[in-house]
Amino acid sequence: KAGVTQTPRYLIKTRGQQVTLSCSPISGHRSVSWYQQTPGQGLQFLFEYFSETQRNKGNFPGRFSGRQFSNSRSEMNVSTLELGDSALYLCASSLDPATNEKLFFGSGTQLSVL
Amino acid sequence: SQKIEQNSEALNIQEGKTATLTCNYTNYSPAYLQWYRQDPGRGPVFLLLIRENEKEKRKERLKVTFDTTLKQSLFHITASQPADSATYLCALDTGANNLFFGTGTRLTVIP
């Protein structure tokens, strides 16, 4: 079974631009979560989707948005990029629809904002 | 405010010894607690989950304890090996469909 796939692996953008990151969950997993990881703050929850609906959202500005498609694939978008958005963005999928027990993470997209 | 603290940013131990990592939390009421391993440039990998009504969980050389009175979890790796060198993250789930992660402890096992 293929794992969680995130594309692209690396991305370099400049301030003010926008970016879209993609995540394909493990086949059969319907819950997809997104996290931002930085050296100073660690892993911080962005949002979680299940059956194309956002179930929960972390404490991030509205510039961060996401969506989930009918095949469970998910995208997240960051608009008007700031230097502080440089981070590793991780997507995770989960089999259990009721909880986030046992998340399976992708290798992430390393975003650098110049 | 809510906090998850992992005992130290870095821990060095000799091969063959037991590594003990600590996760303390305040102002959370977790339904369960998870431990993950993360290698450089990779996403975290799930290791163990322990529920609030469980005291201890084991998996091969790994052992996790969970004390909801002390608000603490201990993660042990026995007979440690250089291949165990990685960053270990604890994560709390309050049942609200998101996990709260600690900042991790970077473990180095010295041959």
Side-chain angles (χ1 to χ4, degrees), chain A residues 9 35 37 40-43 45 48 55-56 88 90 97-103 105-107, chain B residues 32 34 36 38 41-46 49 51 89 93 95-103:
Chain A
R9 188 76 176 88
Y35 288 82
Q37 187 174 34
Q41 298 294 318
L43 268 156
F45 173 75
E48 188 258 349
R55 291 199 297 188
N56 208 350
L88 179 67
L90 291 160
T99 70
N100 275 313
E101 291 189 26
K102 197 173 180 179
L103 294 183
F105 283 86
S107 292
Chain B
Y32 50 86
Q34 304 184 35
Y36 287 80
Q38 187 173 23
R42 308 297 297 271
V45 174
F46 172 81
L49 179 152
R51 300 181 192 284
L89 303 160
D93 191 316
N97 298 117
N98 61 307
L99 286 182
F100 296 94
F101 281 84
T103 51

Side-chain angles (χ1 to χ4, degrees), chain B residues 45-69:
Chain B
V45 174
F46 172 81
L47 294 174
L48 280 168
L49 179 152
I50 186 165
R51 300 181 192 284
E52 58 179 334
N53 60 350
E54 296 175 318
K55 294 286 186 197
E56 182 179 297
K57 210 69 168 294
R58 289 175 186 262
K59 180 184 172 183
E60 297 170 356
R61 294 184 296 112
L62 309 180
K63 184 178 90 170
V64 174
T65 63
F66 193 13
D67 189 327
T68 54
T69 303

Side-chain angles (χ1 to χ4, degrees), chain A residues 57-71:
Chain A
K57 189 179 191 315
N59 192 25
F60 278 81
R63 300 185 297 105
F64 292 81
S65 62
R67 59 178 175 168
Q68 186 180 34
F69 302 95
S70 58
N71 62 358

